[in-house]
């Protein structure tokens, strides 16, 4: 859960708890998908936009999530990043990989934790060429209600207008934001396992990356990339909901080896690409709010999962931080102790929320912690009890036993050495691949 400031090196694990390559003509930005407000009317003017739940918007039902990240409040609980200081006359370039393709694209920008309105002076989307560079001829300006800039209210989010942009499943896209005015502390996603880039001044249209001399291992304001096109929007998106083990802590930087990424690759390899969205937050708990790891899962589930368009299935892998968070090793300080019953009640709340929207819920068992900073007899007893409930209660529509998928056969309470990132808690790339392989695609 770290950020790199002005360095190509990475210290991501220190203290971690946790978008058809095709010739594109010069196409005008399309304004059919304007910003909407609570009344459902298109936003008036270019400078202010309010927001509306995607799930309830008829304009949004034609869209499918290509990539997502859960917004977080600014924090520097581990290492320095750009969230607390924010931006002024900066261009931020961020690379993401979409799990599903389409013929149009739009982005979602979040000011969920901003205390003041956020001005986006300009934005572009392009194909990634490597690092901070983008493919020549691929840069497309993004509009907001047909205007090139937008102001996002404090606590709000906006969607850009859809732009014709042919993109394939598992293709990397670069979204670039120009923030001319002081932003104040920034809504961001702390543990991206991807490099973001920053430059002074407006470099939204740059093809090369020379101006982007600073780097960070977090995403800022960008909370979604959606795709649309013939046959795109189906109610079959899969959301992975959880903590650092969903977020991808322990995976190799800039390789897209988190378990949801590996799951998206399995769908694509089977010839049936699906939307797979990662809504993990490192350190997040089901039952407790924290100042640095997001609102508790039972609250943020509505904001992060139920707001996504055309979701068919959600995979829940969360609870180990509830169990270990009351101890002295939990970053940011201990949280209230959580009983097995309280944690199970939290899981039942997530299931009820999903079922109320007609969404299938897959329960994932909590993975091993022996040898980690969460390893105590009491914590292990709780983990075993919660896993027994997930496996046997019938509360979940389906169960995936990720505990057994990556456990050491010789010591089932410990992650297998081949799957351990080194802290006995978070899997490495091979471990995340094994987790994705344990999921039955037919049940998702």
């Amino acid at each position: 859960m770290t950020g790199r400031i002005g360095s190509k090196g990475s210290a991501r694990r220190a203290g971690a708890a946790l978008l058809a390559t095709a010739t594109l003509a010069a196409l005008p930005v399309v304004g059919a998908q304007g910003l909407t407000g609570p009344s459902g009317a298109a936003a008036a003017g270019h400078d202010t936009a309010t927001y509306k739940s995607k799930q309830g918007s008829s304009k949004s039902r034609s869209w499918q999530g290509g990539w997502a990240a859960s917004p977080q409040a600014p924090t520097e609980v581990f290492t320095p990043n750009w969230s607390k200081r924010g931006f002024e006359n900066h261009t931020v370039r961020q690379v993401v990989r979409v799990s599903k393709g389409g013929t149009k694209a739009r982005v979602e920008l979040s000011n969920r934790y901003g205390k003041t309105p956020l001005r986006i002076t300009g934005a572009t989307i392009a194909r990634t060429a490597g690092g901070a560079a983008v493919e020549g001829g691929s840069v497309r300006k993004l509009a907001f209600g047909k205007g090139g800039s937008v102001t996002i209210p404090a606590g709000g989010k906006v969607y850009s207008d859809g732009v014709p942009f042919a993109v394939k499943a598992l293709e990397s896209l670069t979204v670039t934001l120009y923030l001319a005015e002081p932003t104040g502390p920034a809504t961001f996603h702390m543990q991206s396992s991807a490099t973001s880039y920053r430059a002074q001044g407006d470099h939204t249209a740059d093809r090369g990356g020379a101006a982007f001399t600073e780097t960070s291992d977090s995403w800022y304001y960008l909370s979604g990339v959606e795709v649309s096109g013939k046959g795109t929007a189906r109610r079959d998106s899969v959301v992975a909901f959880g903590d650092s083990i969903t977020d991808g802590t322990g995976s190799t930087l800039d390789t897209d080896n988190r378990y949801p990424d590996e799951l998206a690759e399995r769908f694509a390899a089977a010839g049936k690409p699906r939307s797979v969205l990662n809504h993990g937050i490192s350190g997040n708990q089901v039952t407790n709010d924290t100042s640095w790891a997001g609102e508790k899962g039972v609250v943020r589930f509505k904001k992060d999962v139920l707001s996504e368009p055309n979701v068919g299935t959600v995979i829940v892998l969360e609870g180990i931080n509830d169990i270990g968070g009351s101890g002295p090793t939990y970053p940011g300080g201990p949280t209230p102790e959580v009983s097995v019953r309280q944690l199970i009640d939290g899981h039942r709340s997530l299931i009820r929320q999903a079922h109320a929207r007609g969404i299938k819920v897959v329960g994932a068992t909590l993975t091993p912690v022996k040898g980690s900073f969460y390893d105590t007899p009491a914590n292990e007893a709780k983990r075993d009890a919660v896993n027994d409930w997930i496996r046997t209660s019938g509360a979940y529509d389906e169960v995936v036993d990720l505990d057994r998928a990556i456990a050491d056969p010789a010591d089932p309470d410990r992650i297998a050495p081949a799957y351990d990132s080194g802290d006995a808690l978070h899997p490495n790339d091979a471990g995340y691949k094994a987790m994705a392989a344990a999921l039955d695609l037919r049940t998702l």
Side-chain angles (χ1 to χ4, degrees), residues 353-389:
Q353 291 183 59
H355 284 171
R357 295 293 187 92
I359 297 172
K360 177 188 288 188
V361 197
V362 178
T365 51
L366 305 181
T367 53
V369 299
K370 186 175 181 179
S372 77
F373 49 78
Y374 281 171
D375 182 13
T376 70
N379 287 348
E380 183 60 26
K382 287 183 178 181
R383 188 181 75 92
D384 286 343
V386 172
N387 280 350
D388 183 64
W389 175 82

Side-chain angles (χ1 to χ4, degrees), residues 86 190 281:
M190 180 172 55
I281 295 181

